[in-house]
Amino acid sequence: MAKNIAEQIVEMLENANVKRIYAVTGDSLNHLNIAVKKSSIEWIHVRHEEVGAFAAAAEAELDGFAVCAGSCGPGHVHLINGVYEAHRSHLPMLVIASTIPSEEMGMDYFQETNTIKLFDDCSHYNQMITRPEQVQRIMQTAIQHAISKKGVSVIGLPGDVSELNAEEAVTSNKIFKTNPVIRPSDEELKSLADLINGSEKVTLYCGIGAEKAAAEVIQLSKYLKAPVGYSFRGKMAIQPNNPNEIGLTGLLGLPSAYHAMHEADLLILLGTDFPYQKFMPVKNKIVQIDESAERLGRRAKLELGLTGDVKETIKALLPLLQEKKDIDFLNQQLEFYEKVKEGQLTYVNDPGTEDAIQPEFVTHTLDKLAKHDAVFTVDTGMCCVWGARYITGTGERKMLGSFNHGSMANAMPMAIGAALAHPERQVIAICGDGGLSMLLGDMATIFQYKLPVKLIVFNNRSLGMVKLEMEVGGMPDNETDMVNPDFAMLAQVMGYPGKNVNKPEDVENAIKECLDYNGPYLLNIFTNPNALALPPKVELEQVLGMTKAMTQLMLGGKMEEALDTVKSNYKHIKDIL
C-alpha cells in the first residue's frame, strides 16, 4: 500500500533521529498524528501548544534538534511565543503548522491563518507544502536550515495535502550535520595577539558560544593572568573548575564581573551576544570573537571583531601570545570576588521568617542538595536572579531559561521537554508563582506522562521583577500582587504530591523529600516578597526612584510595606556600593 505524505514526513523525521513531537492534535493534524502512531516517534499531547514549543526548545538545547506541531488557526498562534524563544536562543527546531484545506485558502475560512506571515519573524525557513513533489525537498531543506543556521524552520501543511499519496524526489533526503573548523585568518590572529601582548590588564567575558571551549578559556586565562566573567547562559559551562572566574554581570549579575570588565585595558568577548549595552565599558579596548559575523560590534565599540569558533580560535591564538607574569590585576579581581561571595552568604545565612523565607537561602539549599548533573529550568523574573547567583555550575549541570526572549512561564514547560529527552537526569523547575499560574494546565501533562519533574515554586505573591522595575522607576507598584490558589493542593488534584513550606526551618527537609521522591513533586515555598535583588551597577536615579516610590507608598498609608522594602533593598544597595 502506497504511503501518504504524512507518513513520508514521519519517515523522514525518524531518519533524522526525532524521538517525539510535542503537539495538541486537531483536524488538520490528524493524518500526521496517525502516521506518528504507526512509527517509532512518540506524540506528546501537551495541553497548550505554547508549552509544546517551550518543551521542544528545551529538548533542542539539550540534544540538538526537536519538533513541535500545531493545528490550524489558534494552534499556530499558541505556538508563537515558544517558537520565538527557540529562534532567539538559536535552537534547531522544526515546527509543523498544519493548515486549512488548500482549496479554501484565501476565502476567510474557519480557523484560517497565513503561516508565512505569522512565522516570518521567528524562523530561518518558512514554506508551505502544496504538492507531493515538494515534500522531501522542503522537509530536507527545512531540517538542514534549522540545524545549520541554528534556529527555527516552519512547514505549512494543509490537512488535505497530508493525505495525498507520496512521491519520491530526485534530490537528497538525507540530513547533513557538518562540523567545520572556523577561525580567524592568520593575519587577524596576529593582530589580536599584538593587541593582547601590548595590554597589561586583560579580562575575558564568555557567553554560550564558549560552552565547548571551557578548557581552552581556562588555559588562556591562566596564560594571560586574566579574570573570567560570563553571561547567564555561559555560566554552567564556564564557571566549573575555573580558578580565575569572577562571576557574571548584567541585570542578574555581580559587581565583581562588572568591575573586572571596566578596570581592564583590554576586554575580550568570547562567544557572547550580551544584550545590555549599559553594562559594557566604553573607555577600554574591546575585542569580540563570535561564529556569526553579523553580531560583531552591535553591543559595544570594538577595536577588533573576528569570526571564529571560540575553541578553535583560542587554540590557534595561544602560540602567538607572550605569557604574562604580573598577577596583580588578577589577584585584585579575585579578592574583590571573594568579598562579593561573602556578601552573598549573608543572605544565605538569613533564612527569613514564617511566610517570608529568603529566596537566596532556598536556592542555596537547593543547589547543595541537587545532583551533580541536574537540569535546572528557571522562570523569567526573580527566579532567574536566584538561579544566576546561587545555582553552581559543575560541568555537568544545565540551566535552561528564556534568556533571550524573556518570556514568563517557561520553566515548567521546559522541564517537560528536559525530562522526556533525559529521563535518567534529575530535572528541577524553579518556578515563579506568576510563571507557573500562566500555563497551569500542563501540570496535567507531567502527570499523564509520569515525568519525575520537581516543581519548586518561589511563591512571593507578586510579580517580583515588575514590582522592582516600577519602584526603581519612582512608581509605587500597582497590580503586581497575586492572589494565588493553593499550588500544593493543585498538584495533589493533578495526581502527585504537593507540599506547602511556610517556615525556614522546614526548607531543607522539604527539598530533600521532594528530590528523593520517585515521581513528580511540587513544593510551594512562601518566599519574602520584599527580597528584591538589584543589578551590579546601581544608578543614582534608581536609588532616588525607589525613595520616591517608597514615599508615595507611605503617603498612601502603606507604611509597613514601604519600610520592609526599604530595609531589604538598603542591604542590597550597601553591598553593591
Side-chain angles (χ1 to χ4, degrees):
M1 185 178 175
K3 61 189 170 192
N4 63 26
I5 283 174
E7 290 166 337
Q8 186 180 36
I9 287 172
V10 170
E11 186 179 276
M12 289 192 72
L13 293 177
E14 283 183 303
N15 292 338
N17 205 31
V18 171
K19 303 300 182 190
R20 56 196 64 83
I21 296 176
Y22 301 88
V24 178
T25 197
D27 53 0
S28 58
L29 263 183
N30 287 344
H31 288 285
L32 186 72
N33 184 339
I34 297 305
V36 169
K37 185 178 180 181
K38 298 174 185 175
S39 74
S40 63
I41 297 173
E42 188 177 10
W43 186 280
I44 303 300
H45 175 200
V46 293
R47 305 307 171 94
H48 194 295
E49 289 90 351
E50 182 178 349
V51 171
F54 273 132
E59 182 174 334
E61 179 149 7
L62 293 171
D63 291 348
F65 184 60
V67 181
C68 63
S71 62
C72 51
H76 300 162
V77 177
H78 287 171
L79 281 170
I80 284 287
N81 195 46
V83 173
Y84 260 101
E85 170 56 45
H87 194 59
R88 294 200 65 196
S89 294
H90 314 293
L91 304 174
M93 189 166 92
L94 176 68
V95 177
I96 300 174
S98 64
T99 70
I100 62 170
S102 53
E103 71 270 16
E104 297 289 353
M105 288 181 178
M107 298 295 124
D108 197 22
Y109 189 69
F110 176 66
Q111 293 188 327
E112 181 172 8
T113 48
N114 185 324
T115 59
I116 302 297
K117 286 184 178 180
L118 196 60
F119 292 101
D120 185 61
D121 194 42
C122 53
S123 62
H124 285 308
Y125 184 86
N126 180 16
Q127 294 296 330
M128 177 81 70
I129 292 173
T130 58
R131 296 175 57 83
E133 299 91 336
Q134 293 176 288
V135 176
Q136 284 188 340
R137 295 177 70 188
I138 284 182
M139 276 291 293
Q140 194 271 348
T141 304
I143 297 173
Q144 203 68 52
H145 270 72
I147 291 170
S148 304
K149 287 183 172 287
K150 295 182 181 177
V152 171
S153 287
V154 180
I155 292 174
L157 179 65
D160 59 313
V161 172
S162 65
E163 61 180 312
L164 297 176
N165 287 337
E167 293 191 21
E168 294 295 319
V170 295
T171 53
S172 179
N173 61 6
K174 291 178 67 176
I175 307 303
F176 301 97
K177 296 183 179 180
T178 61
N179 187 29
V181 174
I182 304 171
R183 67 163 180 82
S185 67
D186 291 345
E187 292 78 9
E188 289 172 319
L189 285 171
K190 186 179 183 306
S191 296
L192 175 57
D194 289 345
L195 198 56
I196 294 172
N197 291 335
S199 302
E200 288 184 19
K201 300 183 290 186
V202 180
T203 294
L204 308 180
Y205 184 77
C206 303
I208 190 66
E211 181 182 27
K212 295 178 181 176
E216 287 74 18
V217 167
I218 291 171
Q219 188 180 0
L220 180 63
S221 75
K222 287 180 176 179
Y223 203 69
L224 299 181
K225 310 301 182 286
V228 182
Y230 41 79
S231 70
F232 194 2
R233 284 192 79 193
K235 173 177 178 171
M236 289 292 110
I238 301 302
Q239 182 184 46
N241 308 311
N242 189 336
N244 295 343
E245 65 101 359
I246 39 86
L248 70 163
T249 192
L251 287 176
L252 314 181
L254 303 172
S256 46
Y258 179 90
H259 189 267
M261 291 167 71
H262 282 71
E263 291 296 312
D265 299 327
L266 176 66
L267 172 64
I268 304 176
L269 306 175
L270 297 170
T272 178
D273 197 27
F274 179 76
Y276 302 113
Q277 186 181 335
K278 286 186 176 180
F279 291 92
M280 281 290 175
V282 293
K283 294 180 181 177
N284 51 12
K285 293 178 180 178
I286 302 176
V287 171
Q288 184 179 0
I289 300 168
D290 200 291
E291 63 180 23
S292 297
E294 68 273 13
R295 297 175 196 154
L296 298 175
R298 66 182 182 181
R299 311 296 189 197
K301 186 176 181 180
L302 300 182
E303 188 78 12
L304 195 59
L306 302 175
T307 302
D309 171 84
V310 174
K311 184 172 187 170
E312 295 299 330
T313 301
I314 293 175
K315 283 164 64 177
L317 175 67
L318 278 166
L320 306 177
L321 298 177
Q322 299 163 7
E323 184 174 3
K324 297 194 183 298
K325 305 298 182 184
D326 189 341
I327 61 171
D328 287 350
F329 175 66
L330 174 61
N331 284 343
Q332 287 168 13
Q333 307 314 311
L334 293 175
E335 285 169 17
F336 184 38
Y337 184 41
E338 286 303 314
K339 290 178 184 176
V340 169
K341 288 191 287 186
E342 285 172 20
Q344 280 189 288
L345 287 175
T346 63
Y347 300 105
V348 169
N349 295 328
D350 174 15
T353 58
E354 185 170 355
D355 292 334
I357 302 169
Q358 287 302 117
E360 299 95 333
F361 166 70
V362 175
T363 319
H364 178 74
T365 305
L366 179 61
D367 178 61
K368 182 174 65 175
L369 296 174
K371 289 187 176 177
H372 198 259
D373 66 343
V375 178
F376 295 89
T377 63
V378 289
D379 264 336
T380 299
M382 300 309 290
C383 288
C384 267
V385 177
W386 315 132
R389 294 185 180 176
Y390 292 97
I391 298 297
T392 310
T394 63
E396 295 179 55
R397 285 178 173 176
K398 290 281 188 179
M399 187 175 290
L400 312 180
S402 185
F403 302 133
N404 290 31
H405 188 45
S407 174
M408 281 180 65
N410 60 283
M412 184 262 289
M414 286 181 166
I416 289 173
L420 282 161
H422 288 277
E424 78 286 358
R425 293 177 74 169
Q426 188 180 63
V427 178
I428 302 167
I430 299 177
C431 303
D433 49 336
L436 183 66
S437 56
M438 188 177 275
L439 289 170
L440 206 56
D442 273 86
M443 282 176 65
T445 303
I446 291 172
F447 178 70
Q448 181 165 336
Y449 291 95
K450 303 294 188 288
L451 303 177
V453 169
K454 314 305 179 187
L455 301 172
I456 313 293
V457 185
F458 283 58
N459 187 352
N460 63 1
R461 287 82 74 202
S462 71
L463 298 175
M465 186 66 84
V466 181
K467 180 179 178 181
L468 176 61
E469 289 165 351
M470 294 182 82
E471 288 171 350
V472 298
M475 298 169 273
D477 69 280
N478 183 51
E479 294 299 327
T480 60
D481 293 339
M482 299 192 67
V483 179
N484 290 319
D486 185 330
F487 291 117
M489 190 175 287
L490 274 173
Q492 293 165 23
V493 170
M494 294 287 185
Y496 43 94
K499 186 172 188 174
N500 290 320
V501 182
N502 302 87
K503 296 179 179 179
E505 58 266 30
D506 296 333
V507 166
E508 184 160 350
N509 284 337
I511 291 177
K512 277 182 183 174
E513 184 180 314
C514 171
L515 297 182
D516 290 343
Y517 184 75
N518 185 22
Y521 197 115
L522 183 145
L523 273 190
N524 182 32
I525 303 177
F526 287 78
T527 57
N528 181 4
N530 294 314
L532 302 177
L534 294 174
K537 182 173 185 287
V538 180
E539 303 286 355
L540 178 62
E541 290 81 2
Q542 293 175 318
V543 179
L544 294 174
M546 188 163 283
T547 305
K548 180 181 174 184
M550 294 306 102
T551 304
Q552 290 179 26
L553 275 176
M554 289 175 183
L555 292 174
K558 296 185 177 180
M559 181 71 74
E560 190 174 333
E561 180 184 339
L563 287 173
D564 284 344
T565 305
V566 168
K567 286 176 189 174
S568 177
N569 286 291
Y570 170 73
K571 196 174 179 183
H572 284 286
I573 294 167
K574 182 166 68 72
D575 286 346
I576 290 165
L577 296 178

